[in-house]
Amino acid sequence: MKTASLTNNISYKEDKPNVSVLFKTKTTKEIRILMKKGQIMEEHKAPQPIVIEIFEGAIDFGVNGEQLLLKKGDLITLEAHVLHDLTCVADAIVRLSISNLDDEERVKNVAS
């Protein structure tokens, strides 16, 4: 059994989203992304399917030429290789589930 908290040790970065791995399971890596209003994660894609949960705040989520406003409690899933971007519209705590075949450094690089 593993435990983690989305709300403990919150530390927003002023210049870019703060990405941290909460824990790894046999099949996934659970990642927390802390974003301040106005921060952006430029268009990118994941090599495996992903699930994104907005735990707190709100994100403008760009996918397939459309903008979706995702807010607290919303979830979205994307298949592999789907281009998407994120713009934070209210300070946010985002939970990202990625495959163990994916690299968390890829996510950190997108947040740079």
Side-chain angles (χ1 to χ4, degrees):
M1 173 175 42
K2 298 178 183 191
T3 64
S5 172
L6 288 168
T7 58
N8 283 351
N9 302 316
I10 297 294
S11 178
Y12 290 92
K13 293 183 178 179
E14 291 300 319
D15 57 335
K16 63 182 180 178
N18 188 357
V19 177
S20 58
V21 177
L22 297 172
F23 59 76
K24 298 175 185 180
T25 70
K26 288 182 181 179
T27 57
T28 66
K29 296 173 189 169
E30 302 302 323
I31 295 173
R32 178 179 67 187
I33 303 171
L34 302 173
M35 296 180 77
K36 290 187 70 69
K37 182 178 179 178
Q39 289 181 339
I40 296 171
M41 293 181 79
E42 299 286 345
E43 190 172 64
H44 59 283
K45 58 186 175 181
Q48 301 291 323
I50 60 172
V51 177
I52 299 162
E53 172 193 0
I54 309 303
F55 182 79
E56 191 67 56
I59 301 288
D60 258 339
F61 192 85
V63 62
N64 295 327
E66 136 180 41
Q67 289 296 123
L68 305 170
L69 177 61
L70 301 179
K71 53 194 179 316
K72 182 177 181 173
D74 289 343
L75 292 138
I76 189 168
T77 182
L78 295 179
E79 293 300 322
H81 308 293
V82 174
L83 287 171
H84 58 284
D85 62 82
L86 293 79
T87 302
C88 186
V89 296
D91 289 1
I93 300 172
V94 179
R95 178 180 161 208
L96 170 65
S97 299
I98 64 174
S99 166
N100 269 342
L101 301 175
D102 198 348
D103 183 5
E104 64 267 20
E105 288 304 313
R106 177 192 61 78
V107 179
K108 290 179 181 179
N109 289 337
V110 172
S112 299

